[in-house]
Structure formats: structure tokens, C-alpha cells
Amino acid sequence: MFAAMSASDSDEELYNERTALVPSENPAVPSYIPDLDHSPTEDSHSKAVICLRTRPGGGGGLDQEAELEEEEEELSLKYGAKHVIMLFVPVTLCMVVVVTTIKSIGFYSEKTTQRITVCISKYRSIPGLFSASCIVREVFKTYNLAVDYLTVAMIIWNFGAVGMVCIHWKGPLQLQQAYLIVISALMALVFIKYLPEWSTWSILFLFTLPSCLAADLVAVLSPKGPLRMLVETAQERNEPIFPALIYSSAMMWTVTMANPSDAQHSDTGQPSHLRNVPFICSLVDDDDDDDNDDVSTGGVKLGLGDFIFYSVLVGKAAATGGDWNTTLACFVAILIGLCLTLLLLAIFKKALPALPISITFGLIFYFSTDFLVQPFMDSLANHQFYI
Amino acid sequence: MTAAVFFGCTFIAFGPAISLFLFTIAREPLRVIFLIAGAFFWLVSLLLASLVWFISVQISNKESASQQKGLLIFGVVLSVLLQETFRFAYYKLLKKANEGLLALSQEETMPISIRQLAYVSGLGFGFMSGAFSVVNILADSVGPGTVGIHGDSQHYFLSSAFMTMAIILLHMFWGVVFFDGCEKQRWLVVAAVVVSHLVVSCLTFQNPQYVSSLVPTYIIMFLMGVWAFYTAGGSLRNLKLCLTCKDKDLLLANHRAR
């Protein structure tokens, strides 16, 4: 076998699993448990792809432990990267929903002086149903569809009922995630439409890095801080923390997990990780998750507040001026901010607020693209110059 | 105008790039992340170039059209140079990150090779560059209107779409060749990439004479493509093997019979 391989070594040295772009039909290694009895050359095969080694000696000279560590390190890198993507996809979807709605339904770009009080303390279903009915009405108006009240009521009622069941009780993970994305998008649209310009920007500026650090300190250190009281009350009453406020990429909140102290032990972070409920962003270690049998393990959790404010920023970029470059720039900036936050999460291994870095980047890129890049790109497009 | 032009131009401009993304990048989380990071780096380079251009416009004579055009040309050249500088900066960052990971894991193989990174970062640059060039034009093409009603060219949308496709693919080829040149310390290769980028951008100064700008751009794109293919380790032999489904390595990796 080695003789046959050496004849074409010069070509094959460039191809192995690392450099190949076309995926093999074996899936990547999510739950690989290395078997120490394997010899190093067999280990190379068990890396889920049969690859041709460049070194003729195979893995003979390698220490088994080093190889084990390398595989674990690789796994943790793939594992970490997978989580980043598991958050990129819903955040992107939420933003896409908001931007499409804003662009196609003119209602959301019009300024209004109406004051609508949204009952934020009752987070359960009222904002969702209200904004869902709004958006359904506007969709029908835009596309000139005549729909009777009964049909609309049926649609809204079903939407709301399935959502309640799915989020607060049991439901397929994808449906739950879809509902959380849709609810976040609707809330973002409500914010964009009904908050005056200056208050939206001031809220977003509140979430940038310096002010968030300050607020975080206050929230943590003050014994009467609102979030701490919220969390402690929930713990006293033995309630799980607001499943409707947290998006999880894996199903963590089920009926069986009623005891928050279990949740605390199953997290790698300290108990103080629960202190920032809307901003929670914590990496869950799947090893400790033994008490939940019907739960798929391993996932990152991101608060819905984060979804909402990312979408508000991108939606504002889409609504004002109708310029796609600004929207794209904000989108990329927010994703990079999220990536950096998750990187910091992996390094420090405790819960972090997910908003500051992303919103800071997003705001910087929004204003700079709007004022600097847009005139430049407009002039280039006028003359059809390409850079 | 309207839907036909919009969809046609979108698919022309982004078709190859999106298919490349779907087939080779979408399944691997690490590659997606590096793609988006590459897009971010391109964005930062554009920001700096726009800043310089904006300042220069503010202090110049806004009435003189020729001066404005001259400043725009200066802006284009500066932007190209900054893009390549940021490509180099991204290369340095990726090398450092890879070295850090290697040092941590004490093993000689990396989860993603520098060649894959070159491809992915080039495509990231290309996506962002193409998107910024053409997305507003595509958005305008949805609505009603008559192209070139004031005497301009009627092929504005189509030529923009083709130009964008060429630019995206070129960025990908440039990425591969550039990183390889940096790896092997062959600075002539790096200079050639920068010069070809400048040539392509300067060719667009001849728009709307599309024949003299698009045709040379496509020739350069094919040449760069061939260069990138050979740089990435391709050869006529394995191309033939691949096309006739006789490539043993590929078949082995996909667990099919030889």
C-alpha cells in the first residue's frame, strides 16, 4: 500500500483532509471519544475521514497523549465554531425578517406620533399578539388582499396559542426557535415604529461598551438591583428563569427542570451568571447535564433582548434612507461583535453581556457608512467605477 | 426593469459566489467565521479609504467637476491599495492565530489550512466588495424606470452585474495567490496581485465603453484563475482525473469504489 502511494506522493502531499474543500460523506466529529487502544495510524483513520498522510511514518512518532490533546483541542475549536454558527443563523434570520418587513411594508418607515404603551412587564403574549395582528393587517394592506376579520382572528389566535405552548411547555426545538425569532422580530419592529428617533438611538447608545460596563457593575454590586431581585424572587418561588426571554440553541428548559439550583450546577459559570437575565450569554457544558433525559445537550443561550436590539439597529439602518450598504455594514459588524463576544466567552468561561461589543461595532459602522462610505459609493456608482 | 432584470442581474452577479459558498463553505462553521471576518476587514479598508476621500472632497473646490473626478480616481487607487494592505494584515492575523492554536495543541496539523484560509478570505473580500458595488443598483432595478433615458448606456444593469461577478471571482483568486506569495515570501507575486487589482480598477474608468473595460477584465480573471489553480496545487493531470471521475483520492475520501 505504501509503495503504491509513494508513486503519486508529490500530488497527494497537497491533498488531505485539511486542505480539501469538498466534504467527505462522513459527518464531522461531534461526539468523538478517542479510544486509547488504537495505534496512531489507526487513529488517523478514525478521524472520520480516510486521509492520506504525508509523512511516511504515519503517526508512529507521536505521543498518544499529545494526539488525544490535539483532538480535544480540535474538537473544542470545532465545538466553539459550531456554537458561533448556531447563533449566527437565528440572529441573521431575525434581521432578515425585520429588514424584509421594513422594506416591503411602508408602514414601518413612516413616522408616527402615536403613543402605544406596550405592556412589557407582562412578557407572555400581549406584545406578541398585538404586533402580530399589526403586521398581519399591514401585510394584507400592502398586497391588496381582502381578508375578513374571522380569518384574521383565527390566524392570530392559532399563532398565539401554538407559540404559548411551544415556548412555555413542550414543543419541537425548531418550532420554539422559530417562534422566538419571530417574536423578537415583531418586538424590534414595534420599537422601530413607535419609539421616537432620539429615544431609539439613546437606548442603543446605552448598550455600547462603556455604559454597559458601568451599568453592569451597578447591577451586580447593588444589593437592591432590579435584576438581582428578579432572579432571587424567581429562585425563591422555584420557577425557571423566563424561558420566553432566552433563545437556546439546544433544548435546556423543559418541564422536568423545575429546580433552578440544578440549572446552576449544570452550568460551568458561577451562580452569578444568572444576574443579567436579558443579556445572558452563557456556554453550557454538556457533561453535567445528566438530570435531563429528554434534553439535547450542549448549546449556547442568548437572551431575546439581544436579538431585539440587534434587529432594531439593522432595521433602523434599513428604514432610514433606504440604503442597503448601511444595512449590510451593520449586519457584518454585529456578527463580528457576536463572534468576539463568544470568543471572550470561551476564554473567560463565564456569562457575558452579549450586547455591548456588537452594538458598539454596529453603531460605529452605521454612522461611518452612512456619512462617509455612502457618498463615496454613490459617486463611484455614478461613474461606474469599481474598486 | 422590474423582476426579470432584478433576478437576472442578481443571479449573474452572485450566482457563482453563492454556489461556491453553499458547496464548500456553508457546512464548515470555521470557514464561515473566517469568511465573515474577511468581509469585515474589507469593510474597514473601505471605511478608511472613504474617510480620506471625504476629507479631501471637503477641502477641495466642489464646483469643479474635473477636480471631483480626479479626486474620485485618487480615491479608487487609494482604496485598492488599502484593500491589499488589509488583505496582508488579515494574512498576518491568521498566521498569528494559527500559530497560537498550534502552540496550544502541540501538534503539527491545524484545523484549517492556510490554503483554505486564503480561499475563504478571498471569497469574503469578494462578497463584500461585490455586495457594496451592486446591491443599491439591484434595489433600484426592481422599481419602474427606463434605463439610460438621458442618453446614458442602456446596458447599465447588465454590465454592472457582469463586472461584479468578475470582481468577486477575482478577489477569490487574488486571495489564493496573495497568501501563497506571502507564505513563500515571494514578494513579486504579491506585487503582481496588487498591480492586477489596480489594472482592473483602472479599466473601469473607461466605462461606459464596456467592451474596453469588461473584456480585458474577463481576460485578467481567467488568467488569475489559472494562476490560482496552479498555486493551489492543481494540475492538468488531476483536473483530468477529477473530470473523468477517476481521481482516487477524491473517490477514497467519498468512500466510493475506485
Side-chain angles (χ1 to χ4, degrees):
Chain A
M1 189 169 98
F2 273 94
M5 280 209 299
S6 62
S8 47
D9 235 1
S10 55
D11 289 332
E12 267 109 41
E13 71 176 348
L14 298 168
Y15 174 86
N16 58 23
E17 194 237 333
R18 307 273 170 258
T19 56
L21 283 175
V22 178
S24 67
E25 279 168 5
N26 272 346
V29 203
S31 53
Y32 172 69
I33 300 163
D35 190 340
L36 289 173
D37 295 330
H38 280 173
S39 69
T41 40
E42 282 179 49
D43 243 331
S44 69
H45 291 307
S46 59
K47 272 188 189 157
V49 169
I50 297 173
C51 65
L52 299 165
R53 291 290 229 183
T54 62
R55 288 157 285 126
L62 291 169
D63 190 17
Q64 283 215 0
E65 269 190 26
E67 192 145 340
L68 189 66
E69 236 180 67
E70 181 255 338
E71 276 152 11
E72 274 176 10
E73 176 66 38
E74 245 179 64
L75 275 179
S76 73
L77 188 70
K78 282 188 183 156
Y79 196 66
K82 203 156 66 102
H83 286 144
V84 175
I85 298 301
M86 285 202 282
L87 283 184
F88 273 9
V89 172
V91 170
T92 310
L93 278 176
C94 192
M95 288 190 212
V96 163
V97 169
V98 170
V99 170
T100 344
T101 316
I102 285 187
K103 287 292 184 183
S104 54
I105 302 177
F107 177 70
Y108 285 97
S109 311
E110 293 156 14
K111 290 297 150 207
T112 177
T113 49
Q114 266 177 303
R115 288 283 216 94
I116 309 275
T117 44
V118 178
C119 216
I120 299 189
S121 61
K122 293 254 175 205
Y123 69 95
R124 290 176 185 265
S125 59
I126 295 171
L129 283 182
F130 169 75
S131 22
S133 63
C134 256
I135 204 177
V136 167
R137 235 178 41 220
E138 293 310 318
V139 167
F140 288 148
K141 256 201 262 181
T142 308
Y143 293 108
N144 231 0
L145 293 170
V147 188
D148 54 292
Y149 280 117
L150 200 59
T151 314
V152 172
M154 266 262 295
I155 294 175
I156 302 289
W157 176 251
N158 275 303
F159 178 78
V162 175
M164 290 291 290
V165 163
C166 206
I167 295 175
H168 294 274
W169 194 49
K170 285 191 213 193
L173 180 67
Q174 262 90 9
L175 195 61
Q176 186 182 28
Q177 291 173 335
Y179 262 99
L180 289 174
I181 292 175
V182 169
I183 296 290
S184 316
L186 290 175
M187 284 298 294
L189 286 167
V190 166
F191 277 136
I192 292 172
K193 174 71 180 172
Y194 291 117
L195 278 184
E197 192 88 17
W198 61 270
S199 53
T200 316
W201 289 120
S202 41
I203 290 179
L204 284 172
F205 270 105
L206 268 179
F207 289 125
T208 57
L209 207 49
S211 42
C212 222
L213 285 173
D216 207 28
L217 283 171
V218 167
V220 167
L221 294 176
S222 69
K224 288 290 174 188
L227 289 173
R228 175 170 280 199
M229 290 189 71
L230 199 69
V231 168
E232 282 167 1
T233 321
Q235 284 174 358
E236 276 168 39
R237 295 183 193 165
N238 256 354
E239 289 168 6
I241 307 281
F242 301 144
L245 280 185
I246 297 184
Y247 175 97
S248 76
S249 48
M251 186 129 48
M252 284 299 298
W253 306 99
T254 66
V255 178
T256 58
M257 191 147 125
N259 189 357
S261 61
D262 281 339
Q264 282 187 342
H265 290 312
S266 71
D267 282 323
T268 52
Q270 297 87 18
S272 61
H273 87 285
L274 292 171
R275 65 178 193 255
N276 279 330
V277 170
F279 312 123
I280 205 168
C281 182
S282 63
L283 192 66
V284 177
D285 194 343
D286 58 352
D287 292 337
D288 306 337
D289 216 358
D290 300 318
D291 17 38
N292 302 301
D293 299 316
D294 53 342
V295 159
S296 61
T297 56
V300 195
K301 296 199 289 283
L302 188 65
L304 278 203
D306 302 333
F307 276 88
I308 292 174
F309 285 108
Y310 294 160
S311 307
V312 164
L313 181 56
V314 175
K316 267 268 175 249
T320 54
D323 180 38
W324 285 94
N325 286 349
T326 319
T327 315
L328 271 176
C330 284
F331 168 69
V332 171
I334 288 177
L335 285 186
I336 291 292
L338 190 59
C339 202
L340 281 174
T341 311
L342 287 167
L343 189 71
L344 288 177
L345 185 71
I347 294 176
F348 293 118
K349 291 203 194 329
K350 47 186 269 208
L352 292 174
L355 277 180
I357 301 179
S358 287
I359 297 287
T360 313
F361 275 18
L363 284 173
I364 293 176
F365 276 87
Y366 175 89
F367 287 112
S368 48
T369 312
D370 211 20
F371 290 123
L372 299 174
V373 176
Q374 196 40 42
F376 186 46
M377 297 308 293
D378 267 343
S379 313
L380 289 178
N382 262 338
H383 294 97
Q384 235 179 343
F385 290 171
Y386 278 78
I387 53 172
Chain B
M1 296 289 285
T2 71
V5 171
F6 170 71
F7 281 111
C9 289
T10 308
F11 291 144
I12 290 175
F14 291 111
I18 292 188
S19 0
L20 282 168
F21 175 77
L22 285 175
F23 287 129
T24 58
I25 298 184
R27 299 253 179 109
E28 292 280 321
L30 215 51
R31 292 179 199 164
V32 175
I33 294 173
F34 284 120
L35 181 100
I36 297 184
F40 181 73
F41 268 73
W42 187 89
L43 197 58
V44 176
S45 82
L46 179 67
L47 205 76
L48 288 177
S50 311
L51 181 66
V52 174
W53 174 82
F54 189 78
I55 293 175
S56 66
V57 161
Q58 296 304 316
I59 59 181
S60 75
N61 176 16
K62 290 201 189 145
E63 268 80 58
S64 155
S66 62
Q67 202 182 48
Q68 295 302 310
K69 192 159 181 193
L71 276 178
L72 199 60
I73 291 177
F74 160 71
V76 168
V77 172
L78 178 71
S79 172
V80 168
L81 293 173
L82 273 175
Q83 283 176 50
E84 298 302 327
T85 313
F86 270 81
R87 206 195 292 276
F88 185 69
Y90 194 39
Y91 166 76
K92 283 286 176 197
L93 181 73
L94 289 174
K95 285 293 278 185
K96 272 228 158 59
N98 262 340
E99 277 166 16
L101 284 169
L102 266 183
L104 275 174
S105 63
Q106 292 158 347
E107 186 55 55
E108 55 261 47
T109 50
M110 307 188 287
I112 182 167
S113 77
I114 200 75
R115 278 220 180 90
Q116 288 178 328
L117 283 173
Y119 163 71
V120 158
S121 73
L123 200 57
F125 270 56
F127 260 122
M128 223 36 196
S129 172
F132 264 63
S133 307
V134 95
V135 116
N136 277 327
I137 297 174
L138 288 176
D140 285 337
S141 75
V142 181
T146 307
V147 191
I149 198 171
H150 291 297
D152 301 305
S153 163
Q154 289 184 348
H155 304 296
Y156 184 79
F157 289 125
L158 208 57
S159 62
S160 300
F162 275 107
M163 192 68 200
T164 307
M165 174 174 85
I167 293 272
I168 297 179
L169 292 176
L170 270 169
H171 266 291
M172 181 185 63
F173 299 145
W174 284 328
V176 172
V177 175
F178 190 97
F179 275 44
D180 188 68
C182 289
E183 278 284 289
K184 298 189 176 133
Q185 309 259 324
R186 288 163 65 184
W187 305 115
L188 273 180
V189 168
V190 172
V193 167
V194 177
V195 164
S196 78
H197 193 169
L198 275 171
V199 165
V200 167
S201 280
C202 295
L203 279 172
T204 63
F205 295 157
Q206 293 170 1
N207 281 333
Q209 273 101 39
Y210 297 127
V211 177
S212 51
S213 73
L214 273 179
V215 173
T217 306
Y218 270 79
I219 294 175
I220 295 180
M221 184 184 86
F222 280 118
L223 291 173
M224 285 301 305
V226 169
W227 191 3
F229 178 69
Y230 279 107
T231 309
S235 65
L236 274 176
R237 185 179 157 266
N238 45 14
L239 182 66
K240 234 185 340 182
L241 284 178
C242 180
L243 289 173
T244 54
C245 291
K246 289 207 184 85
D247 189 346
K248 298 194 187 110
D249 310 332
L250 202 62
L251 293 173
L252 206 62
N254 289 336
H255 296 281
R256 292 198 211 121
R258 298 181 192 216

